Amino acid sequence: MEIKQTALAGTLESSDIQIMLSQGEKGIHFDLTSDVKKQFGEDIMATIQSVLQAYDIENVLVKVVDKGALTPVIKARAIAVAQRALDLKDEPNWEVL
């Protein structure tokens, strides 16, 4: 699926994560900012990428600012931003949840 609009989910509060999706080219490209990037960067990106794959999003630029979010929070924010970017806010994909 193609991104219909740039979308944002999350905050910059402690223990949260902010994810922004915008139209990209040739695959999924990450711009990750995190104090724990060295330890958990790969896990953060893998969690977001699994949600994007569930929505069949292939060409996207993913900007992530992590403030120590746990995996369930990362997944919830990724689902929210994917639905906003695809303009599916009123049509949740229950299989992803």
Side-chain angles (χ1 to χ4, degrees):
M1 293 185 120
E2 293 295 319
I3 298 292
K4 294 182 180 179
Q5 59 193 8
T6 298
L8 180 72
T11 68
L12 297 175
E13 298 291 322
S14 180
S15 301
D16 202 353
I17 190 168
Q18 188 176 70
I19 305 172
M20 182 172 69
L21 299 182
S22 56
Q23 188 66 36
E25 297 177 8
K26 299 182 183 174
I28 300 171
H29 298 281
F30 283 92
D31 177 10
L32 174 63
T33 304
S34 175
D35 291 339
V36 294
K37 181 177 181 177
K38 190 173 184 180
Q39 296 93 342
F40 301 108
E42 292 296 322
D43 292 334
I44 293 167
M45 291 187 291
T47 300
I48 295 169
Q49 190 163 1
S50 70
V51 172
L52 296 177
Q53 288 173 343
Y55 281 95
D56 294 322
I57 298 172
E58 296 174 353
N59 299 318
V60 63
L61 175 60
V62 184
K63 183 169 173 48
V64 181
V65 180
D66 174 55
K67 295 293 184 176
L70 298 174
T71 302
V73 175
I74 297 168
K75 186 173 180 181
R77 296 300 191 194
I79 290 169
V81 76
Q83 290 193 171
R84 290 174 184 169
L86 297 172
D87 200 23
L88 299 174
K89 296 179 289 282
D90 297 329
E91 304 167 25
N93 183 349
W94 297 108
E95 290 80 26
V96 173
L97 300 175

Coordinates of all heavy atoms in Angstrom, one line a residue:
M1 N 0.8 -1.2 0.0 CA 0.0 0.0 0.0 C 0.9 1.2 0.0 O 2.0 1.2 0.5 CB -0.9 0.0 1.2 CG -1.9 -1.0 1.3 SD -3.0 -0.8 2.7 CE -4.5 -0.6 1.9
E2 N 0.4 2.3 -0.6 CA 1.1 3.5 -0.6 C 0.6 4.5 0.5 O -0.6 4.5 0.8 CB 0.9 4.2 -2.0 CG 1.6 3.4 -3.1 CD 3.1 3.4 -3.0 OE1 3.7 4.4 -2.6 OE2 3.6 2.3 -3.3
I3 N 1.5 5.2 1.0 CA 1.2 6.3 2.0 C 0.3 7.3 1.3 O 0.7 7.9 0.3 CB 2.4 6.9 2.6 CG1 3.3 5.8 3.3 CG2 2.1 8.1 3.5 CD1 2.7 5.3 4.5
K4 N -0.8 7.7 1.9 CA -1.7 8.7 1.4 C -1.4 10.1 1.9 O -1.6 11.1 1.2 CB -3.2 8.3 1.6 CG -3.6 7.1 0.9 CD -5.1 6.8 1.2 CE -5.5 5.5 0.4 NZ -6.9 5.2 0.6
Q5 N -0.9 10.1 3.1 CA -0.5 11.4 3.8 C 0.5 11.2 4.8 O 0.6 10.1 5.4 CB -1.8 12.0 4.4 CG -2.4 11.1 5.4 CD -3.8 11.6 5.8 OE1 -4.4 12.5 5.2 NE2 -4.4 11.0 6.9
T6 N 1.3 12.2 5.1 CA 2.3 12.1 6.2 C 1.5 12.1 7.5 O 0.5 12.8 7.7 CB 3.2 13.3 6.2 OG1 3.9 13.3 4.9 CG2 4.2 13.3 7.3
A7 N 1.9 11.2 8.4 CA 1.2 11.0 9.6 C 2.2 10.9 10.8 O 3.4 10.5 10.7 CB 0.4 9.7 9.6
L8 N 1.7 11.2 12.0 CA 2.5 11.3 13.2 C 1.7 10.6 14.4 O 0.5 10.8 14.5 CB 2.8 12.7 13.6 CG 3.6 13.0 14.8 CD1 5.1 12.6 14.6 CD2 3.5 14.5 15.1
A9 N 2.4 9.8 15.2 CA 1.8 9.3 16.4 C 2.8 9.3 17.5 O 4.0 9.1 17.3 CB 1.3 7.9 16.1
G10 N 2.3 9.5 18.7 CA 3.2 9.5 19.9 C 3.6 10.9 20.3 O 3.3 11.9 19.7
T11 N 4.3 10.9 21.5 CA 4.8 12.1 22.1 C 6.3 12.1 22.3 O 6.9 11.0 22.1 CB 4.0 12.4 23.4 OG1 4.5 11.5 24.4 CG2 2.5 12.4 23.2
L12 N 6.8 13.1 22.8 CA 8.2 13.2 23.2 C 8.4 13.1 24.7 O 9.4 13.4 25.3 CB 8.9 14.4 22.7 CG 8.9 14.5 21.1 CD1 9.5 15.9 20.7 CD2 9.7 13.4 20.5
E13 N 7.4 12.6 25.4 CA 7.4 12.4 26.8 C 8.3 11.2 27.2 O 8.5 10.3 26.3 CB 6.0 12.1 27.4 CG 5.1 13.3 27.2 CD 5.4 14.5 28.0 OE1 5.9 14.3 29.2 OE2 5.3 15.6 27.5
S14 N 8.7 11.1 28.4 CA 9.5 10.0 28.8 C 8.7 8.7 28.7 O 7.5 8.7 29.0 CB 9.9 10.2 30.3 OG 10.7 9.1 30.8
S15 N 9.3 7.6 28.3 CA 8.7 6.3 28.2 C 7.7 6.2 27.0 O 6.9 5.3 26.9 CB 8.0 5.8 29.4 OG 9.0 5.7 30.5
D16 N 7.9 7.1 26.0 CA 7.0 7.1 24.9 C 7.9 7.1 23.6 O 9.1 7.2 23.7 CB 6.0 8.3 24.9 CG 4.8 8.1 24.0 OD1 4.7 7.1 23.3 OD2 3.9 8.9 24.0
I17 N 7.3 7.1 22.5 CA 8.0 7.1 21.2 C 7.1 7.9 20.2 O 5.9 7.8 20.3 CB 8.2 5.7 20.7 CG1 9.2 5.7 19.5 CG2 7.0 5.0 20.4 CD1 9.7 4.3 19.1
Q18 N 7.8 8.7 19.4 CA 7.1 9.4 18.3 C 7.5 8.9 17.0 O 8.7 8.8 16.7 CB 7.4 10.9 18.4 CG 6.6 11.8 17.5 CD 6.9 13.2 17.7 OE1 8.0 13.7 17.3 NE2 6.0 14.0 18.3
I19 N 6.6 8.5 16.2 CA 6.8 7.9 14.9 C 6.1 8.7 13.8 O 4.9 9.0 13.9 CB 6.3 6.4 14.8 CG1 6.9 5.6 15.9 CG2 6.6 5.8 13.4 CD1 6.3 4.2 16.0
M20 N 6.9 9.1 12.8 CA 6.3 9.8 11.6 C 6.5 9.0 10.4 O 7.7 8.6 10.1 CB 6.9 11.2 11.5 CG 6.3 12.0 10.4 SD 6.8 13.7 10.3 CE 8.5 13.5 9.8
L21 N 5.5 8.8 9.6 CA 5.6 8.1 8.3 C 5.4 9.1 7.2 O 4.4 10.0 7.2 CB 4.6 7.0 8.2 CG 4.6 5.9 9.2 CD1 3.5 4.9 8.8 CD2 6.0 5.2 9.2
S22 N 6.2 9.1 6.2 CA 6.0 9.9 5.0 C 6.4 9.1 3.7 O 7.1 8.1 3.9 CB 6.8 11.2 5.1 OG 8.2 10.9 5.2
Q23 N 5.9 9.6 2.6 CA 6.2 8.8 1.3 C 7.7 8.7 1.1 O 8.4 9.6 1.3 CB 5.5 9.6 0.2 CG 5.6 8.9 -1.1 CD 4.7 7.6 -1.1 OE1 3.6 7.6 -0.5 NE2 5.1 6.6 -1.8
G24 N 8.0 7.4 0.8 CA 9.4 7.1 0.5 C 9.6 6.5 -0.8 O 8.6 6.3 -1.6
E25 N 10.8 6.1 -1.1 CA 11.1 5.4 -2.4 C 11.9 4.2 -2.1 O 12.8 4.2 -1.3 CB 11.9 6.4 -3.3 CG 11.2 7.6 -3.7 CD 12.1 8.6 -4.5 OE1 13.2 8.2 -4.9 OE2 11.6 9.7 -4.8
K26 N 11.6 3.1 -2.8 CA 12.4 1.9 -2.8 C 12.7 1.3 -1.4 O 13.8 1.3 -1.0 CB 13.8 2.1 -3.5 CG 13.6 2.5 -5.0 CD 14.9 2.6 -5.7 CE 14.7 3.1 -7.1 NZ 15.9 3.4 -7.8
G27 N 11.6 1.0 -0.7 CA 11.8 0.3 0.5 C 11.5 1.1 1.8 O 11.0 2.3 1.7
I28 N 11.8 0.5 2.9 CA 11.6 1.2 4.2 C 12.9 1.7 4.7 O 13.9 1.0 4.8 CB 11.0 0.2 5.2 CG1 9.7 -0.4 4.7 CG2 10.9 0.8 6.6 CD1 9.2 -1.6 5.5
H29 N 12.9 3.1 4.9 CA 14.1 3.7 5.4 C 13.9 4.3 6.8 O 12.9 5.1 7.0 CB 14.6 4.8 4.4 CG 14.9 4.2 3.1 ND1 16.1 3.6 2.8 CD2 14.2 4.2 1.9 CE1 16.1 3.2 1.6 NE2 15.0 3.5 1.0
F30 N 14.7 4.1 7.7 CA 14.6 4.5 9.1 C 15.5 5.7 9.4 O 16.7 5.7 9.0 CB 14.9 3.4 10.1 CG 13.7 2.4 10.2 CD1 13.7 1.3 9.5 CD2 12.7 2.6 11.2 CE1 12.7 0.4 9.6 CE2 11.7 1.7 11.3 CZ 11.7 0.6 10.5
D31 N 15.0 6.7 10.2 CA 15.8 7.7 10.8 C 15.5 7.6 12.3 O 14.5 8.2 12.7 CB 15.4 9.1 10.2 CG 16.2 10.2 10.9 OD1 17.1 10.0 11.6 OD2 15.8 11.4 10.6
L32 N 16.3 6.9 13.0 CA 16.1 6.6 14.4 C 16.9 7.5 15.3 O 18.2 7.5 15.2 CB 16.3 5.2 14.7 CG 16.2 4.7 16.2 CD1 14.8 4.9 16.7 CD2 16.7 3.3 16.3
T33 N 16.3 8.2 16.3 CA 17.0 8.9 17.3 C 16.6 8.3 18.7 O 15.4 8.3 19.0 CB 16.6 10.4 17.3 OG1 16.9 10.9 16.0 CG2 17.3 11.2 18.4
S34 N 17.6 7.9 19.4 CA 17.3 7.2 20.7 C 18.5 7.2 21.6 O 19.6 7.0 21.1 CB 16.7 5.8 20.5 OG 16.6 5.2 21.7
D35 N 18.3 7.4 22.9 CA 19.4 7.3 23.8 C 19.9 5.9 23.9 O 21.0 5.6 24.3 CB 19.1 7.9 25.2 CG 18.9 9.4 25.1 OD1 19.4 10.0 24.2 OD2 18.2 9.9 26.1
V36 N 19.0 4.9 23.6 CA 19.4 3.5 23.8 C 19.5 2.8 22.4 O 19.3 1.6 22.3 CB 18.3 2.8 24.7 CG1 18.4 3.3 26.1 CG2 16.9 2.9 24.1
K37 N 19.8 3.6 21.4 CA 19.9 3.1 20.0 C 20.9 2.0 19.9 O 20.6 0.9 19.2 CB 20.3 4.2 19.1 CG 20.3 3.8 17.6 CD 20.7 5.0 16.7 CE 20.7 4.6 15.3 NZ 21.0 5.8 14.4
K38 N 22.0 2.1 20.6 CA 23.1 1.1 20.5 C 22.6 -0.3 21.1 O 22.9 -1.3 20.5 CB 24.3 1.5 21.3 CG 25.5 0.7 21.1 CD 26.7 1.4 21.8 CE 27.9 0.6 21.6 NZ 29.1 1.2 22.2
Q39 N 21.8 -0.2 22.1 CA 21.3 -1.5 22.8 C 20.0 -2.0 22.1 O 19.9 -3.2 21.9 CB 21.0 -1.3 24.3 CG 22.2 -0.9 25.1 CD 22.5 0.6 25.2 OE1 21.9 1.4 24.5 NE2 23.3 1.0 26.2
F40 N 19.1 -1.1 21.8 CA 17.8 -1.6 21.4 C 17.3 -1.1 20.0 O 16.2 -1.3 19.6 CB 16.7 -1.1 22.4 CG 17.0 -1.7 23.8 CD1 17.5 -0.8 24.8 CD2 16.8 -3.0 24.1 CE1 17.7 -1.3 26.1 CE2 17.0 -3.5 25.3 CZ 17.5 -2.7 26.3
G41 N 18.2 -0.4 19.3 CA 17.8 0.2 18.0 C 17.3 -0.8 17.0 O 16.2 -0.6 16.3
E42 N 17.9 -2.0 16.9 CA 17.5 -3.0 16.0 C 16.1 -3.6 16.4 O 15.3 -3.8 15.5 CB 18.5 -4.2 15.9 CG 19.8 -3.8 15.3 CD 19.7 -3.4 13.8 OE1 18.9 -4.0 13.1 OE2 20.4 -2.5 13.4
D43 N 15.9 -3.7 17.7 CA 14.5 -4.2 18.1 C 13.4 -3.2 17.9 O 12.3 -3.6 17.5 CB 14.6 -4.5 19.6 CG 15.5 -5.7 20.0 OD1 15.7 -6.6 19.1 OD2 16.0 -5.8 21.1
I44 N 13.7 -1.9 18.1 CA 12.8 -0.9 17.8 C 12.4 -0.9 16.3 O 11.2 -0.9 16.0 CB 13.3 0.5 18.2 CG1 13.5 0.6 19.7 CG2 12.4 1.6 17.7 CD1 14.3 1.8 20.2
M45 N 13.4 -0.9 15.5 CA 13.1 -0.9 14.0 C 12.4 -2.2 13.6 O 11.5 -2.1 12.7 CB 14.4 -0.7 13.3 CG 15.0 0.7 13.4 SD 16.4 1.1 12.4 CE 17.6 0.0 13.1
A46 N 12.7 -3.3 14.2 CA 12.1 -4.6 13.8 C 10.6 -4.6 14.2 O 9.7 -5.1 13.5 CB 12.8 -5.8 14.5
T47 N 10.3 -4.0 15.4 CA 8.9 -3.9 15.8 C 8.1 -3.1 14.9 O 7.0 -3.4 14.4 CB 8.8 -3.4 17.3 OG1 9.5 -4.2 18.1 CG2 7.4 -3.3 17.7
I48 N 8.6 -1.9 14.5 CA 7.9 -1.0 13.6 C 7.8 -1.7 12.2 O 6.7 -1.6 11.6 CB 8.6 0.3 13.5 CG1 8.6 1.0 14.9 CG2 8.0 1.2 12.4 CD1 9.5 2.3 15.0
Q49 N 8.9 -2.3 11.8 CA 8.8 -2.9 10.4 C 7.8 -4.0 10.4 O 7.1 -4.2 9.3 CB 10.2 -3.4 10.1 CG 10.3 -3.9 8.6 CD 11.7 -4.0 8.2 OE1 12.7 -3.8 8.9 NE2 11.9 -4.3 6.9
S50 N 7.6 -4.8 11.4 CA 6.6 -5.9 11.4 C 5.2 -5.3 11.3 O 4.4 -5.9 10.6 CB 6.7 -6.7 12.7 OG 6.3 -6.0 13.8
V51 N 4.9 -4.2 11.9 CA 3.6 -3.5 11.7 C 3.5 -3.0 10.3 O 2.4 -3.2 9.7 CB 3.4 -2.4 12.7 CG1 2.2 -1.6 12.5 CG2 3.4 -3.0 14.2
L52 N 4.5 -2.4 9.7 CA 4.4 -1.9 8.4 C 4.2 -3.0 7.4 O 3.4 -2.9 6.4 CB 5.7 -1.1 8.0 CG 6.0 0.2 8.8 CD1 7.3 0.8 8.4 CD2 4.8 1.2 8.7
Q53 N 4.8 -4.2 7.6 CA 4.6 -5.3 6.7 C 3.2 -5.9 6.8 O 2.6 -6.3 5.9 CB 5.6 -6.4 7.0 CG 7.0 -6.0 6.6 CD 8.1 -7.0 7.0 OE1 7.8 -7.8 8.0 NE2 9.3 -7.0 6.4
A54 N 2.6 -5.8 8.1 CA 1.3 -6.3 8.2 C 0.3 -5.4 7.5 O -0.8 -5.9 7.0 CB 0.9 -6.3 9.7
Y55 N 0.6 -4.1 7.3 CA -0.2 -3.2 6.5 C 0.2 -3.1 5.0 O -0.3 -2.3 4.3 CB -0.2 -1.8 7.1 CG -1.1 -1.7 8.3 CD1 -0.7 -1.8 9.6 CD2 -2.5 -1.4 8.1 CE1 -1.5 -1.7 10.7 CE2 -3.3 -1.2 9.2 CZ -2.8 -1.4 10.5 OH -3.7 -1.3 11.5
D56 N 1.2 -4.0 4.6 CA 1.7 -4.0 3.3 C 2.3 -2.6 2.8 O 2.1 -2.2 1.6 CB 0.7 -4.5 2.2 CG 0.3 -5.9 2.5 OD1 1.2 -6.7 2.8 OD2 -0.9 -6.2 2.3
I57 N 2.9 -1.9 3.7 CA 3.5 -0.6 3.4 C 5.0 -0.9 3.0 O 5.7 -1.5 3.8 CB 3.5 0.3 4.6 CG1 2.0 0.7 5.0 CG2 4.3 1.6 4.3 CD1 1.9 1.4 6.3
E58 N 5.3 -0.6 1.8 CA 6.6 -0.9 1.3 C 7.6 0.3 1.1 O 8.8 0.2 1.3 CB 6.5 -1.7 0.0 CG 5.8 -3.0 0.1 CD 5.5 -3.7 -1.2 OE1 5.7 -3.1 -2.2 OE2 5.0 -4.8 -1.1
N59 N 7.1 1.4 0.6 CA 7.9 2.5 0.3 C 7.6 3.7 1.2 O 6.6 4.4 1.1 CB 7.7 3.0 -1.2 CG 8.1 1.9 -2.1 OD1 9.1 1.2 -2.0 ND2 7.3 1.7 -3.2
V60 N 8.5 3.8 2.3 CA 8.1 4.8 3.3 C 9.4 5.2 4.0 O 10.4 4.5 4.1 CB 7.2 4.1 4.3 CG1 7.8 2.9 5.0 CG2 6.7 5.1 5.3
L61 N 9.4 6.5 4.4 CA 10.4 7.0 5.3 C 9.9 7.1 6.7 O 8.8 7.7 6.9 CB 10.8 8.4 4.8 CG 11.8 9.2 5.7 CD1 13.1 8.4 5.8 CD2 12.1 10.6 5.2
V62 N 10.6 6.4 7.6 CA 10.1 6.3 9.0 C 11.0 7.1 9.9 O 12.2 6.8 10.1 CB 10.1 4.9 9.5 CG1 9.5 4.7 10.9 CG2 9.4 4.0 8.5
K63 N 10.5 8.2 10.5 CA 11.3 9.0 11.4 C 10.9 8.7 12.8 O 9.7 8.8 13.1 CB 11.1 10.5 11.1 CG 12.0 11.4 12.0 CD 11.9 12.8 11.6 CE 12.6 13.8 12.5 NZ 13.9 13.5 13.0
V64 N 11.8 8.3 13.7 CA 11.5 7.8 15.0 C 12.3 8.5 16.0 O 13.5 8.7 15.9 CB 11.8 6.3 15.1 CG1 11.4 5.7 16.5 CG2 11.1 5.5 14.0
V65 N 11.6 9.0 17.1 CA 12.3 9.6 18.2 C 11.8 8.8 19.4 O 10.7 8.9 19.9 CB 12.0 11.1 18.4 CG1 12.7 11.7 19.6 CG2 12.3 11.9 17.1
D66 N 12.7 8.0 20.0 CA 12.4 7.1 21.1 C 12.8 7.8 22.4 O 13.9 8.3 22.5 CB 13.1 5.8 20.9 CG 12.9 4.9 22.1 OD1 11.8 4.6 22.5 OD2 14.0 4.4 22.7
K67 N 12.0 7.7 23.4 CA 12.3 8.2 24.7 C 12.1 7.1 25.8 O 11.7 7.3 26.9 CB 11.3 9.4 25.1 CG 11.5 10.6 24.2 CD 12.8 11.2 24.5 CE 12.9 12.5 23.7 NZ 14.2 13.2 24.0
G68 N 12.5 5.9 25.4 CA 12.5 4.7 26.3 C 11.2 3.9 26.3 O 10.9 3.3 27.3
A69 N 10.6 3.9 25.2 CA 9.3 3.2 25.1 C 9.5 1.6 25.1 O 10.5 1.1 24.6 CB 8.5 3.5 23.8
L70 N 8.6 1.0 25.7 CA 8.6 -0.5 25.7 C 8.0 -1.0 24.5 O 7.2 -0.3 23.8 CB 7.9 -1.0 27.0 CG 8.5 -0.6 28.3 CD1 7.6 -1.1 29.4 CD2 9.9 -1.2 28.5
T71 N 8.2 -2.3 24.1 CA 7.7 -2.9 22.9 C 6.2 -2.7 22.7 O 5.8 -2.4 21.5 CB 8.1 -4.4 22.8 OG1 9.6 -4.4 22.9 CG2 7.7 -5.0 21.5
P72 N 5.3 -2.9 23.7 CA 3.9 -2.8 23.4 C 3.5 -1.3 23.0 O 2.7 -1.1 22.2 CB 3.2 -3.2 24.7 CG 4.2 -4.0 25.4 CD 5.6 -3.5 25.0
V73 N 4.2 -0.4 23.6 CA 4.0 1.0 23.2 C 4.5 1.3 21.8 O 3.8 2.0 21.0 CB 4.7 2.0 24.2 CG1 4.6 3.4 23.8 CG2 4.2 1.8 25.7
I74 N 5.6 0.8 21.5 CA 6.1 1.0 20.1 C 5.2 0.4 19.1 O 4.8 1.0 18.1 CB 7.5 0.3 20.0 CG1 8.5 1.0 20.9 CG2 8.0 0.3 18.5 CD1 9.8 0.2 21.0
K75 N 4.7 -0.8 19.4 CA 3.7 -1.4 18.4 C 2.4 -0.6 18.3 O 1.9 -0.4 17.2 CB 3.4 -2.9 18.9 CG 2.5 -3.6 17.9 CD 2.4 -5.1 18.3 CE 1.5 -5.8 17.2 NZ 1.3 -7.2 17.5
A76 N 1.9 -0.2 19.5 CA 0.7 0.6 19.4 C 0.8 1.9 18.7 O -0.1 2.3 17.9 CB 0.2 0.9 20.9
R77 N 1.9 2.6 18.8 CA 2.2 3.8 18.1 C 2.4 3.5 16.6 O 1.9 4.3 15.7 CB 3.4 4.6 18.6 CG 3.3 5.0 20.1 CD 2.2 6.0 20.2 NE 2.3 6.6 21.5 CZ 1.3 7.3 22.1 NH1 0.1 7.5 21.4 NH2 1.4 7.9 23.3
A78 N 3.0 2.4 16.3 CA 3.2 2.1 14.9 C 1.9 1.8 14.2 O 1.7 2.1 13.0 CB 4.2 0.9 14.8
I79 N 1.0 1.1 14.9 CA -0.3 0.8 14.3 C -1.1 2.1 14.1 O -1.7 2.3 13.1 CB -1.1 -0.2 15.3 CG1 -0.5 -1.6 15.2 CG2 -2.6 -0.3 14.9 CD1 -1.0 -2.5 16.3
A80 N -1.1 3.0 15.1 CA -1.8 4.2 15.0 C -1.3 5.1 13.8 O -2.1 5.6 13.0 CB -1.7 5.0 16.3
V81 N 0.0 5.2 13.7 CA 0.6 6.0 12.6 C 0.3 5.4 11.2 O 0.1 6.1 10.3 CB 2.1 6.3 12.8 CG1 3.0 5.2 12.5 CG2 2.5 7.5 12.0
A82 N 0.4 4.0 11.2 CA 0.1 3.4 9.9 C -1.3 3.6 9.4 O -1.6 3.9 8.3 CB 0.4 1.9 10.0
Q83 N -2.3 3.5 10.4 CA -3.7 3.7 10.0 C -3.9 5.2 9.6 O -4.7 5.4 8.7 CB -4.6 3.3 11.2 CG -4.6 1.8 11.4 CD -5.7 1.3 12.3 OE1 -5.9 0.1 12.3 NE2 -6.4 2.2 13.0
R84 N -3.2 6.1 10.3 CA -3.4 7.5 9.9 C -2.8 7.8 8.5 O -3.4 8.5 7.7 CB -2.7 8.4 10.9 CG -3.4 8.4 12.3 CD -2.7 9.2 13.3 NE -3.4 9.1 14.6 CZ -2.9 9.5 15.8 NH1 -1.7 10.0 15.8 NH2 -3.6 9.4 16.9
A85 N -1.6 7.2 8.3 CA -1.0 7.4 7.0 C -1.7 6.8 5.8 O -1.7 7.4 4.7 CB 0.5 6.9 7.0
L86 N -2.4 5.7 6.1 CA -3.2 5.1 5.0 C -4.6 5.6 5.0 O -5.4 5.1 4.2 CB -3.2 3.6 5.2 CG -1.8 2.9 5.1 CD1 -1.9 1.4 5.5 CD2 -1.3 3.0 3.7
D87 N -5.0 6.5 5.9 CA -6.3 7.1 6.0 C -7.3 5.9 6.3 O -8.4 5.9 5.7 CB -6.7 7.8 4.7 CG -7.9 8.8 5.0 OD1 -8.1 9.2 6.2 OD2 -8.6 9.2 4.1
L88 N -7.0 5.1 7.2 CA -7.8 4.0 7.7 C -8.3 4.2 9.1 O -8.6 3.2 9.8 CB -7.1 2.6 7.6 CG -6.6 2.2 6.2 CD1 -5.8 1.0 6.3 CD2 -7.8 2.0 5.3
K89 N -8.3 5.4 9.6 CA -8.6 5.6 11.0 C -10.0 5.0 11.5 O -10.1 4.6 12.6 CB -8.7 7.1 11.3 CG -7.3 7.8 11.1 CD -7.4 9.3 11.3 CE -8.2 10.0 10.3 NZ -7.5 10.3 9.0
D90 N -10.9 5.0 10.6 CA -12.2 4.5 10.9 C -12.4 3.0 10.5 O -13.5 2.5 10.7 CB -13.3 5.3 10.2 CG -13.3 6.8 10.7 OD1 -12.9 7.0 11.9 OD2 -13.6 7.7 10.0
E91 N -11.4 2.4 10.0 CA -11.5 1.0 9.5 C -10.3 0.2 10.1 O -9.3 -0.1 9.4 CB -11.4 1.0 8.0 CG -12.5 1.8 7.3 CD -12.2 1.9 5.9 OE1 -11.5 1.1 5.3 OE2 -12.6 3.0 5.3
P92 N -10.3 -0.1 11.4 CA -9.1 -0.8 12.0 C -8.9 -2.2 11.4 O -9.8 -2.9 11.0 CB -9.5 -0.9 13.5 CG -10.9 -0.7 13.6 CD -11.3 0.1 12.4
N93 N -7.6 -2.5 11.2 CA -7.3 -3.8 10.7 C -7.1 -4.8 11.9 O -6.1 -4.8 12.6 CB -5.9 -3.7 9.9 CG -5.5 -5.0 9.3 OD1 -6.1 -6.1 9.6 ND2 -4.5 -5.0 8.5
W94 N -8.1 -5.5 12.3 CA -8.1 -6.3 13.5 C -7.1 -7.4 13.5 O -6.7 -7.8 14.5 CB -9.5 -6.9 13.8 CG -10.5 -5.8 14.0 CD1 -11.5 -5.4 13.1 CD2 -10.6 -4.9 15.1 NE1 -12.2 -4.3 13.6 CE2 -11.7 -4.0 14.9 CE3 -9.9 -4.7 16.3 CZ2 -12.1 -3.0 15.7 CZ3 -10.3 -3.8 17.2 CH2 -11.3 -2.9 16.9
E95 N -6.7 -7.9 12.3 CA -5.7 -8.9 12.3 C -4.3 -8.5 12.8 O -3.6 -9.2 13.3 CB -5.5 -9.4 10.8 CG -6.7 -10.2 10.3 CD -7.9 -9.3 9.8 OE1 -7.6 -8.2 9.4 OE2 -9.0 -9.8 9.9
V96 N -4.0 -7.2 12.6 CA -2.8 -6.6 13.0 C -2.7 -6.6 14.6 O -1.7 -6.8 15.2 CB -2.5 -5.2 12.4 CG1 -1.3 -4.6 13.0 CG2 -2.4 -5.3 10.9
L97 N -3.9 -6.2 15.2 CA -3.9 -6.1 16.6 C -3.8 -7.5 17.2 O -3.2 -7.6 18.3 CB -5.3 -5.5 17.0 CG -5.6 -4.1 16.5 CD1 -7.0 -3.7 16.8 CD2 -4.5 -3.1 16.9

